[in-house]
């Protein structure tokens, strides 16, 4: 290692130790129970997606969750409407975790599904959608920044805690938002979530970078490629971990003119 500090060495997405990301440690710290912040995000996105598809029935829906990590509830949010859902992640360790969960996900995820079942579109799939999840969901190793090779492909998308959690670069943050949104078809509904003013985070003894962003920056980055955009700041500082001030959830529709 050279004379730069640990934080400085891992500035870029390509420099972070993604294949050493520990998904079990991440789940233990974040998803063994439902945090109030996650419940609020789920409620917002559930309403956005269900309202959209009640008004817009159409062709077969292909969904993508970008940078899934060890989080299944974004896929749950898309499950009622999708013939196929791709869970995209750069980390080999995360992809292996996701493959196991697709086969039969762990019981801690049931409480997240139970919250979704407060809406009829989700309740219609029953209290245990494991069979549908196994049939519809697939994990894929891939990079957010390669999504433009399939520009406009997906008709529903989520990206939770990714664009601001892969480097310290604001340029890369904005590029990550762009790649996600341009991978969606015109008019596609989407939702994204961000850590506000994140300073970096530890998982399984490894330090991962973060970009310091606020709600205005999130909204401006999304507005370039989307319409009917709404954002909401939620939560309190340092609930999940040290080094952030809150969370931001954003939702809207892909702008066909951008």
């Amino acid at each position: 290692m050279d004379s730069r500090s640990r934080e400085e060495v891992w500035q870029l997405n390509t420099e972070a130790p993604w294949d050493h990301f520990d998904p079990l440690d991440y789940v233990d710290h974040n998803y063994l129970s439902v945090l109030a912040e996650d419940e609020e995000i789920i409620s917002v996105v559930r309403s956005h997606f269900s309202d959209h598809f009640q008004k817009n029935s159409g062709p077969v829906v292909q969904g993508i969750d970008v940078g899934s990590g060890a989080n299944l509830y974004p896929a749950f949010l898309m499950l009622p409407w999708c013939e196929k859902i791709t869970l995209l992640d750069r980390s080999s360790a995360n992809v292996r975790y996701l493959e196991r969960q697709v086969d039969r996900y762990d019981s801690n995820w049931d409480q997240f599904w139970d919250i979704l079942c407060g809406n009829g579109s989700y309740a219609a799939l029953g209290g245990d959608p494991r069979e549908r999840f196994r049939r519809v969901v697939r994990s894929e190793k891939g990079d957010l920044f390669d999504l433009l090779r399939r520009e406009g492909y997906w008709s529903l998308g989520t990206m939770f805690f990714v664009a601001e959690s892969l480097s310290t670069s604001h340029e890369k943050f904005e590029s990550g938002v762009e790649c996600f949104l341009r991978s969606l078809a015109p008019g596609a509904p989407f939702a994204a979530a961000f850590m506000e003013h994140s300073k970096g985070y530890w998982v399984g003894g490894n330090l991962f970078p973060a970009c310091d962003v606020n709600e205005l920056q999130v909204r401006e980055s999304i507005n370039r490629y989307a319409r009917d955009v709404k954002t909401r700041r939620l939560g309190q500082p340092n609930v999940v971990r040290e080094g952030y001030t809150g969370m931001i959830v954003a939702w809207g529709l892909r702008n066909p003119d951008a």
Side-chain angles (χ1 to χ4, degrees), residues 20-36:
H20 298 287
F21 193 99
D22 186 338
L24 297 181
D25 181 73
Y26 191 77
V27 169
D28 285 348
H29 282 86
N30 295 278
Y31 299 123
L32 288 185
S33 60
V34 182
L35 298 175

Side-chain angles (χ1 to χ4, degrees), residues 106-120:
D106 295 334
S107 60
N108 64 292
W109 295 108
D110 290 329
Q111 59 196 316
F112 292 86
W113 181 254
D114 289 345
I115 294 170
L116 285 166
C117 285
N119 178 285

Side-chain angles (χ1 to χ4, degrees), residues 89-235:
D89 202 275
R90 181 182 178 124
S91 165
S92 297
N94 284 339
V95 171
R96 289 192 296 269
Y97 171 83
L98 293 168
E99 287 172 346
R100 294 192 298 270
Q101 298 300 305
V102 167
D103 185 58
R104 181 172 179 80
Y105 59 77
D106 295 334
S107 60
N108 64 292
W109 295 108
D110 290 329
Q111 59 196 316
F112 292 86
W113 181 254
D114 289 345
I115 294 170
L116 285 166
C117 285
N119 178 285
S121 298
Y122 298 89
L125 299 184
D128 183 359
R130 283 178 172 81
E131 178 56 37
R132 178 173 173 83
F133 194 85
R134 185 184 305 114
R135 177 164 47 87
V136 169
V137 179
R138 293 292 180 270
S139 61
E140 179 180 322
K141 191 176 191 300
D143 194 308
L144 161 63
F145 297 106
D146 292 333
L147 282 177
L148 293 186
R149 296 177 183 177
R150 290 182 276 183
E151 183 170 357
Y153 180 78
W154 284 281
S155 42
L156 179 61
T158 54
M159 182 178 69
F160 286 7
F161 312 115
V162 177
E164 83 290 8
S165 301
L166 51 80
S167 81
T168 59
S169 166
H170 281 85
E171 180 181 355
K172 288 295 183 183
F173 164 75
E174 292 181 358
S175 179
V177 171
E178 176 185 2
C179 289
F180 166 60
L181 290 172
R182 288 179 61 188
S183 75
L184 303 178
F190 69 86
F194 308 85
M195 304 299 283
E196 180 190 61
H197 296 307
S198 181
K199 306 301 182 185
Y201 56 107
W202 292 86
V203 179
N206 290 293
L207 178 65
F208 292 87
C211 180
D212 184 341
V213 296
N214 60 32
E215 187 175 1
L216 177 60
Q217 290 168 314
V218 166
R219 190 183 304 115
E220 288 178 341
S221 68
I222 292 174
N223 274 336
R224 298 185 184 104
Y225 309 99
R227 61 180 174 86
D228 301 334
V229 177
K230 297 179 176 63
T231 62
R232 181 184 297 179
R233 185 191 179 280
L234 51 93

Side-chain angles (χ1 to χ4, degrees), residues 44-54 56 61-65 77-78 81-82 154-160 180-181 183-192 225-228 250-256:
V44 166
V45 179
R46 177 185 64 185
S47 295
H48 174 48
F49 288 169
S50 61
D51 289 351
H52 174 83
F53 286 106
Q54 284 174 8
N56 299 276
V61 177
Q62 304 272 0
I64 185 169
D65 179 44
L77 282 160
M78 294 185 280
W81 302 283
C82 289
W154 284 281
S155 42
L156 179 61
T158 54
M159 182 178 69
F160 286 7
F180 166 60
L181 290 172
S183 75
L184 303 178
F190 69 86
Y225 309 99
R227 61 180 174 86
D228 301 334
W251 63 101
L253 304 173
R254 173 73 169 98
N255 189 345

